[in-house]
């Protein structure tokens, strides 16, 4: 066991119990949301902008009208509560997670980590196929036991009670969670922040993590990387990555520098919270695989009903404070590349920095692959982790 992990476990809470959990939002909270939506103050939109300055006003009005008149939280709440949910206290913070065990006794343990502006809602469509492939006409040998935690500061794992919850601390918490659940050998998967956390989890718990699967890998060239004779596609990808680094998106700048200021607007206005998230569900998805409005709103509700706009944004702030060299990943990595993601990796570049043993380029899908193309992601997970069973 590495020293960092040993110290973390040594400092962990005396209460290591795992407590059953159900989502039960008070009706008064839903009534308050309804009143706020009804009393929305709409901004002016300039003509002929074409959405280049943010989410179009007409689209927002349609979303809010549906949220106010047609969306049924109780229906979504009941669906969520069909999955076994739990909480446990790790490093002084409440951790909420789904834990769905497969009916197959030899199933392989897998921890899935979401990102921002996502939540555990991202994975709802792949839980069944992963845990019970027999019921979906697939080989039961591919079954997984699935653990899906909410990142500290997100959803029902938030707000966090103190600062310092950066990627490494989250990875240590995940290692402790898997230890408490009794999993001695497991795999990890993630996109967005889940990608970074999954690699960090392998770094802090290499004795137990056997493989890392990613559907987002942000890799920029190092000075000593050998990148001659690149294809035009790879050159374009690297140029895009460099532009992304040199001129980061507005949401990233704000969440990395002023998460508290931002939190006042998003915690007080459901329409503001919706717009902040819906923009990414417009820009980062495959237009041929749009995410349903109910799923989008349920994901937004995880931020609104828990008041975690600020604490989730703080992950960017914490990361900016501890920015340093990438942590090496000591276990094999599999990568699924979806063409409409916000940044696409270059395989030759990734292979110079990581032990890449599996790489799939898809024709469809974007940043929220588990929601957009759950069948493709599920099959890629089966193919990658088959080598570790």
């Amino acid at each position: 066991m590495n020293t960092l992990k040993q110290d973390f476990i040594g400092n962990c809470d005396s209460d290591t119990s795992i407590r059953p959990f159900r989502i039960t939002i008070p009706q008064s909270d839903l009534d308050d949301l309804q009143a706020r939506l009804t009393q929305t103050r709409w901004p002016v939109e300039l003509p002929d902008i074409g959405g280049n300055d943010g989410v179009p006003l007409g689209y927002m009005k349609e979303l809010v009208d549906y949220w106010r008149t047609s969306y049924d939280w109780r229906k979504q709440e009941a669906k969520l509560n069909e999955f076994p949910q739990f909480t446990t206290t790790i490093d002084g913070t409440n951790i909420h997670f789904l834990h769905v065990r497969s009916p197959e006794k030899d199933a392989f343990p897998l921890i899935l980590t979401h990102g921002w502006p996502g939540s555990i809602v991202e994975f709802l469509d792949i839980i069944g196929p992963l845990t019970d492939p027999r019921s979906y006409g697939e080989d039961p040998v591919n079954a997984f036991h699935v653990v899906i935690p909410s990142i500290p500061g997100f959803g029902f794992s938030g707000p966090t009670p103190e600062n310092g919850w950066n990627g490494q601390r989250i990875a240590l918490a995940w290692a402790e969670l898997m230890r408490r659940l009794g999993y001695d050998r497991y795999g990890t998967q993630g996109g967005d922040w889940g990608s970074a956390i999954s690699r960090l989890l392998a770094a802090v718990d290499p004795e137990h993590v056997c493989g890392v699967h990613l559907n987002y890998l942000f890799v920029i060239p190092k000075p000593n990387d050998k990148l001659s004779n690149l294809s035009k596609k790879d050159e374009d990808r690297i140029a895009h990555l460099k532009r992304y680094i040199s001129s980061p998106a507005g949401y990233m700048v704000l969440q990395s520098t002023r998460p508290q200021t931002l939190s006042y607007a998003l915690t007080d206005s459901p329409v503001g919270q919706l717009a902040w998230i819906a923009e990414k569900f417009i820009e980062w998805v495959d237009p041929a695989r749009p995410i349903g409005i109910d799923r989008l709103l349920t994901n937004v509700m995880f931020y609104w009903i828990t008041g975690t706009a600020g604490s989730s944004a703080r992950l960017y702030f914490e990361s900016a404070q501890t920015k340093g060299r990438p942590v090496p990943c000591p276990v094999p990595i599999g990568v699924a590349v979806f063409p409409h993601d916000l940044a696409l990796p270059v395989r030759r570049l990734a292979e110079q920095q990581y032990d890449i043993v599996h790489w799939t380029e898809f024709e469809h899908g974007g940043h929220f692959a588990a929601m957009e193309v759950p069948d493709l992601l599920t099959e890629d997970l089966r193919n990658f982790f088959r080598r570790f069973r």
Side-chain angles (χ1 to χ4, degrees):
M1 182 185 299
N2 62 55
T3 303
L4 183 65
K5 182 183 173 187
Q6 192 171 29
D7 291 344
F8 181 89
I9 293 176
N11 293 331
C12 267
D13 311 83
S14 57
D15 179 11
T16 60
S17 63
I18 293 174
R19 305 171 289 272
F21 178 83
R22 285 180 63 83
I23 302 172
T24 308
I25 303 305
Q27 185 59 42
S28 58
D29 289 357
L30 302 182
D31 293 342
D32 174 73
L33 170 61
Q34 183 71 207
R36 289 171 185 264
L37 293 175
T38 301
Q39 298 170 23
T40 299
R41 294 179 61 200
W42 293 105
V44 172
E45 180 180 64
L46 295 176
D48 304 321
I49 296 297
N52 292 326
D53 60 348
V55 187
L57 179 61
Y59 177 68
M60 278 302 300
K61 286 186 173 181
E62 290 177 7
L63 283 179
V64 172
D65 182 65
Y66 183 89
W67 198 1
R68 183 177 60 84
T69 63
S70 302
Y71 176 76
D72 186 348
W73 165 254
R74 292 303 185 199
K75 180 179 179 181
Q76 303 303 320
E77 185 180 70
K79 286 183 179 179
L80 288 160
N81 284 329
E82 291 175 1
F83 298 103
Q85 298 175 62
F86 305 88
T87 62
T88 190
T89 303
I90 301 178
D91 197 14
T93 290
N94 182 67
I95 303 296
H96 165 253
F97 62 99
L98 306 184
H99 183 202
V100 186
R101 291 187 59 85
S102 171
E104 309 296 337
K105 65 177 182 178
D106 294 325
F108 185 75
L110 178 65
I111 183 168
L112 303 164
T113 307
H114 63 85
W116 183 93
S119 66
I120 63 169
V121 173
E122 288 185 49
F123 301 111
L124 297 183
D125 291 335
I126 67 174
I127 293 174
L130 287 178
T131 58
D132 191 13
R134 190 190 300 268
S135 295
Y136 291 80
E138 301 292 341
D139 192 339
V141 75
N142 292 319
F144 294 87
H145 299 307
V146 171
V147 179
I148 309 176
S150 296
I151 294 174
F154 288 69
F156 296 101
S157 289
T160 39
E162 61 183 6
N163 62 0
W165 277 97
N166 55 31
Q168 185 175 68
R169 189 174 179 183
I170 295 166
L172 287 164
W174 278 194
E176 171 64 10
L177 174 61
M178 296 302 276
R179 187 187 70 83
R180 290 185 188 180
L181 294 176
Y183 292 130
D184 185 63
R185 183 172 178 270
Y186 61 94
T188 180
Q189 197 282 333
D192 196 86
W193 278 109
S195 171
I197 293 167
S198 294
R199 283 174 280 141
L200 286 165
L201 177 52
V204 302
D205 197 21
E207 304 94 340
H208 303 105
V209 176
C210 62
V212 175
H213 183 281
L214 310 172
N215 61 283
Y216 177 77
L217 181 59
F218 195 91
V219 184
I220 58 174
K222 296 178 179 178
N224 60 341
D225 285 332
K226 300 176 182 179
L227 295 173
S228 59
N229 301 318
L230 288 172
S231 67
K232 178 64 165 56
K233 179 178 74 173
D234 285 345
E235 288 178 348
D236 289 344
R237 287 184 178 184
I238 290 176
H240 177 77
L241 290 168
K242 289 181 175 178
R243 287 195 299 270
Y244 197 84
I245 288 292
S246 62
S247 181
Y251 81 93
M252 186 179 297
V253 174
L254 192 53
Q255 296 194 155
S256 298
T257 59
R258 294 294 185 271
Q260 184 63 29
T261 302
L262 174 66
S263 71
Y264 298 114
L266 302 189
T267 304
D268 188 60
S269 169
V271 176
Q273 179 69 89
L274 173 60
W276 195 244
I277 290 176
E279 179 182 82
K280 305 312 171 193
F281 279 73
I282 296 172
E283 296 178 347
W284 296 352
V285 303
D286 183 345
R289 300 289 193 277
I291 294 168
I293 187 171
D294 283 319
R295 188 58 55 83
L296 165 62
L297 289 172
T298 300
N299 184 73
V300 171
M301 287 287 283
F302 262 65
Y303 290 79
W304 175 256
I305 59 182
T306 58
T308 52
S311 57
S312 61
R314 186 165 291 278
L315 180 53
Y316 286 83
F317 181 83
E318 298 290 354
S319 177
Q321 308 310 302
T322 58
K323 192 172 183 179
R325 299 183 64 183
V327 176
C329 183
V331 305
I333 290 179
V335 181
V337 182
F338 295 95
H340 294 274
D341 209 339
L342 70 159
L344 304 181
V346 173
R347 182 170 187 170
R348 282 178 55 192
L349 180 57
E351 287 175 339
Q352 292 186 39
Q353 301 183 25
Y354 298 103
D355 179 16
I356 305 294
V357 299
H358 174 93
W359 188 281
T360 312
E361 299 256 354
F362 291 98
E363 296 182 358
H364 297 287
H367 195 64
F368 306 98
M371 285 194 278
E372 298 172 67
V373 284
D375 53 338
L376 299 182
L377 182 61
T378 297
E379 186 61 25
D380 207 60
L381 285 167
R382 291 170 179 160
N383 291 337
F384 172 66
F385 282 107
R386 191 172 292 126
R387 73 196 70 213
F388 303 110
R389 292 179 181 272

